[in-house]
Amino acid sequence: GQQLNQSPQSMFIQEGEDVSMNCTSSSIFNTWLWYKQDPGEGPVLLIALYKAGELTSNGRLTAQFGITRKDSFLNISASIPSDVGIYFCAGQRGRSNYKLTFGKGTLLTVNP
Amino acid sequence: DADVTQTPRNRITKTGKRIMLECSQTKGHDRMYWYRQDPGLGLRLIYYSFDVKDINKGEISDGYSVSRQAQAKFSLSLESAIPNQTALYFCATSLEVEQFFGPGTRLTVL
């Protein structure tokens, strides 16, 4: 089946540092999504990417749709304690199939 | 009010019991999904429904069944719960690709 390899699995950083995480696959995806899950809550959509090479920002978050369509990157600048949580990438393959494949998540811890 | 609600939020049950988890949405989306989350395994799709008359198995449907009672309601049932079904369960909805999640149900099977 389709797999998304998300890395790193976990990160422990100091407040104010920048963060990078990525997802890669051996398959081509048509859409990439990035979600954040706070403890005890459901995932919340952060950024959606629809075109290869697309670079999209949402506040301190920036995500890119890889040019090969097999990867995506999420960067968080100037991290703050409320950035703590699990970040998931998700990809959609078929143009008429709305199912998503999820990465296993990156657990981010921010030390004040 | 939340757009996607799940009940109950927490449930402890015993092996062999029948359990139903319910999901309701006010977003007007046709597509609804049930996922299971286990530590370190991410989100895995159990069942999905693209409209009221459409039900499809996901990657881990064994031991589960679903019912789409209306556009706004999608229920997940465990006919005979077993301990390895202990997990967080999420319902999601979508208009197209972007999925919106409920707050989750934490299920413990003893």
Side-chain angles (χ1 to χ4, degrees):
Chain A
Q2 305 158 27
Q3 286 192 343
L4 290 182
N5 301 307
Q6 186 170 350
S7 65
Q9 285 187 320
S10 62
M11 302 182 73
F12 188 94
I13 63 170
Q14 295 296 122
E15 183 176 359
E17 291 183 355
D18 296 344
V19 173
S20 291
M21 60 190 77
N22 69 82
C23 268
T24 61
S25 175
S26 58
S27 302
I28 290 174
F29 285 85
N30 290 313
T31 305
W32 285 95
L33 307 173
W34 285 91
Y35 287 85
K36 182 193 177 194
Q37 183 180 23
D38 289 327
E41 302 294 331
V44 174
L45 182 64
L46 298 174
I47 293 178
L49 302 159
Y50 297 99
K51 292 182 182 179
E54 180 180 354
L55 186 72
T56 298
S57 293
N58 177 5
R60 294 178 295 105
L61 278 60
T62 301
Q64 184 163 22
F65 192 142
I67 197 72
T68 65
R69 297 169 62 195
K70 294 182 179 180
D71 55 10
S72 180
F73 305 86
L74 176 69
N75 296 314
I76 305 173
S77 62
S79 59
I80 58 178
S82 62
D83 290 335
V84 164
I86 303 175
Y87 291 80
F88 291 101
C89 63
Q92 179 246 349
R93 274 198 85 190
R95 296 206 179 276
S96 59
N97 183 341
Y98 294 100
K99 290 194 300 178
L100 296 177
T101 299
F102 282 84
K104 294 182 178 180
T106 294
L107 174 61
L108 178 64
T109 303
V110 180
N111 193 31
Chain B
D1 287 341
D3 294 322
V4 184
T5 57
Q6 291 184 235
T7 56
R9 292 294 313 275
N10 289 283
R11 181 73 185 266
I12 300 174
T13 191
K14 294 183 179 180
T15 298
K17 293 291 187 181
R18 185 179 187 273
I19 296 295
M20 179 180 286
L21 309 182
E22 299 189 356
C23 177
S24 294
Q25 52 115 346
T26 58
K27 298 183 80 67
H29 292 169
D30 283 328
R31 299 176 177 85
M32 299 187 73
Y33 311 79
W34 274 104
Y35 290 90
R36 167 178 173 159
Q37 184 178 29
D38 297 278
L41 295 181
L43 291 157
R44 294 183 291 166
L45 184 63
I46 306 172
Y47 270 96
Y48 61 103
S49 168
F50 284 171
D51 64 44
V52 175
K53 297 180 180 179
D54 176 73
I55 300 288
N56 303 281
K57 292 183 178 180
E59 58 182 298
I60 54 163
S61 59
D62 287 349
Y64 301 96
S65 63
V66 291
S67 172
R68 184 80 184 267
Q69 300 95 324
Q71 186 204 38
K73 296 184 182 297
F74 193 33
S75 300
L76 176 71
S77 293
L78 287 67
E79 296 300 326
S80 180
I82 56 176
N84 77 0
Q85 291 178 312
T86 293
L88 263 175
Y89 290 85
F90 289 102
C91 171
T93 75
S94 76
L95 190 58
E96 294 186 347
V97 176
E98 299 176 14
Q99 292 185 15
F100 299 89
F101 287 80
T105 294
R106 183 172 294 280
L107 177 66
T108 303
V109 184
L110 302 176

